[in-house]
Amino acid sequence: MTDGAIAADELSAGALRVWLTGHDPVTGEKRGSQRLSADADLLLDATLNHPKSYSIAALLHPELASEFESLQNRLRDQILTTWLNELNARRGHGGLIREDITRIEVVELDHRRSRALDPHAHRHLWLNVKVLGADGKWSNVDSRVAMKLHTVINAEGDLAARTDPQWLAALARHGFMLDGDGEVAELARVVRPLSRRSAQIEANRAQLIAEWSAEHDGTSPSNRILTQIDRRAWAMSRPNKPAHLDELSWEATVRGELASLDARLAVDRAPVPLVSTPLHALDLDLLAQDAMRAAHAELRRAARERDVQASAQWITPSASPSRGGPSL
């Protein structure tokens, strides 16, 4: 994205390696000063991650597959725009010089499934730390600002996926509606049976919690320790990505699993009406009060969690998650 305009190209594996090290992937030209220490950030990873029922809906109807891709494209463009407008470059001693950004480069990886071959469309957005400042010089993005901005991006992405008019209208044309959790209501019941990877992680988590409790006189782990357990549960026995997979065969297999779970899913549904509330009918003061109460509750929850973390320690294996963005 340059000055608000998005252009797209493809990178070979070799060009990707060049790009990751802070060089132009075509010319090889170095971009600013290089930081190739072991702890240097080369990119920041954000993930467009939607409810699995969206992926199931896309498998059931070609139009929904196309509309789901369009939804992800709109969210991607929104994220790139937010990054360009809100992030800044830092350079100089101690990063004292800050610059607005005129160009960012992002590699997009488009996945249709999880490692366990569950239908779970998601995209990774790899933001290169090398960005072009308004003064025409390449330097590193302020990664601290970028990491903090992920909270905003997550919230905006979740809201957009639940309220996007084009996506909601497409779902309604095929007889689907979103429920209060943001899932496609008519498909939510088949999500768990198709979530082999999630089931594996949950089993790992239960095992680790039981082991920790047994080692600590039956006490329950704190929130901090549960976070560490969650990371270990995710990493345990993580399946490798399949090297070769026939797309049509995979789609047919998943549709067969869906039919065995609920034969009605193979039958076209009648359209459902979309119900909307006009803005003038909303009590904006009440909505603002609810938002303030929710914000205060979240602050109190975070404060309690910090207190727990300050009083609880648990030594885990040295491996820690790589730096990246949370799910969107």
Side-chain angles (χ1 to χ4, degrees):
M1 174 174 267
T2 304
D3 295 326
I6 298 176
D9 203 345
E10 292 188 357
L11 292 182
S12 65
L16 176 61
R17 294 187 185 96
V18 172
W19 179 80
L20 284 172
T21 58
H23 295 74
D24 187 297
V26 177
T27 67
E29 180 183 359
K30 184 173 70 172
R31 291 173 165 175
S33 60
Q34 301 299 303
R35 291 183 59 213
L36 296 180
S37 61
D39 60 347
D41 293 325
L42 299 180
L43 58 86
L44 297 172
D45 178 11
T47 309
L48 285 172
N49 194 19
H50 307 275
K52 287 187 177 180
S53 56
Y54 289 21
S55 300
I56 296 172
L59 276 171
L60 293 174
H61 298 283
E63 186 204 0
L64 289 179
S66 176
E67 289 291 353
F68 187 27
E69 287 295 310
S70 296
L71 171 65
Q72 293 181 88
N73 289 342
R74 289 191 291 276
L75 294 179
R76 175 203 60 206
D77 294 352
Q78 179 180 327
I79 291 172
L80 266 60
T81 301
T82 301
W83 274 340
L84 187 71
N85 293 336
E86 301 297 335
L87 296 180
N88 62 273
R90 295 189 69 179
R91 69 171 72 98
H93 181 69
L96 293 179
I97 301 175
R98 301 192 177 207
E99 285 285 339
D100 290 336
I101 297 174
T102 60
R103 179 184 176 94
I104 61 173
E105 293 184 350
V106 176
V107 162
E108 179 181 39
L109 299 95
D110 192 353
H111 298 157
R112 297 189 64 202
R113 54 195 152 258
S114 72
R115 288 172 177 263
L117 302 185
D118 305 330
H120 185 196
H122 60 284
R123 298 186 188 183
H124 294 273
L125 302 179
W126 288 357
L127 171 65
N128 198 309
V129 297
K130 292 298 180 182
V131 294
L132 187 64
D135 59 357
K137 297 179 180 180
W138 290 92
S139 56
N140 284 14
V141 71
D142 190 334
S143 58
R144 292 174 297 180
V145 175
M147 295 298 288
K148 292 178 179 178
L149 191 63
H150 272 314
T151 302
V152 176
I153 290 174
N154 281 341
E156 289 184 343
D158 183 62
L159 177 62
R162 293 173 184 237
T163 60
D164 184 88
Q166 189 172 329
W167 173 239
L168 294 180
L171 288 173
R173 285 195 297 272
H174 291 277
F176 295 124
M177 301 286 288
L178 297 186
D179 61 19
D181 296 323
E183 291 276 5
V184 179
E186 295 78 9
L187 300 175
R189 65 185 180 279
V190 299
V191 168
R192 179 172 287 276
L194 286 179
S195 300
R196 287 174 285 267
R197 175 62 175 150
S198 295
Q200 179 194 47
I201 294 173
E202 288 179 7
N204 292 343
R205 186 176 189 271
Q207 175 187 336
L208 291 172
I209 291 175
E211 291 174 355
W212 190 94
S213 296
E215 294 172 1
H216 295 80
D217 300 323
T219 58
S220 298
S222 66
N223 288 335
R224 178 191 179 189
I225 295 172
L226 285 174
T227 298
Q228 295 173 340
I229 286 176
D230 288 343
R231 290 172 178 170
R232 292 182 63 189
W234 176 85
M236 288 172 60
S237 305
R238 190 181 184 211
N240 294 323
K241 295 180 179 179
H244 304 285
L245 187 68
D246 182 78
E247 290 289 336
L248 295 179
S249 176
W250 174 77
E251 290 182 6
T253 298
V254 175
R255 291 193 182 102
E257 292 177 339
L258 288 170
S260 67
L261 291 169
D262 188 345
R264 294 173 296 177
L265 295 180
V267 179
D268 289 339
R269 303 174 62 90
V272 294
L274 275 177
V275 179
S276 60
T277 303
L279 286 177
H280 64 78
L282 297 174
D283 188 335
L284 299 182
D285 290 336
L286 180 60
L287 288 175
Q289 292 172 15
D290 286 344
M292 291 297 293
R293 279 194 292 268
H296 283 301
E298 177 61 21
L299 288 173
R300 289 194 296 270
R301 184 203 62 76
R304 288 195 300 269
E305 184 171 330
R306 285 195 299 269
D307 291 342
V308 171
Q309 290 176 354
S311 61
Q313 292 185 352
W314 183 39
I315 299 176
T316 58
S318 58
S320 60
S322 60
R323 193 168 191 181
S327 298
L328 181 70

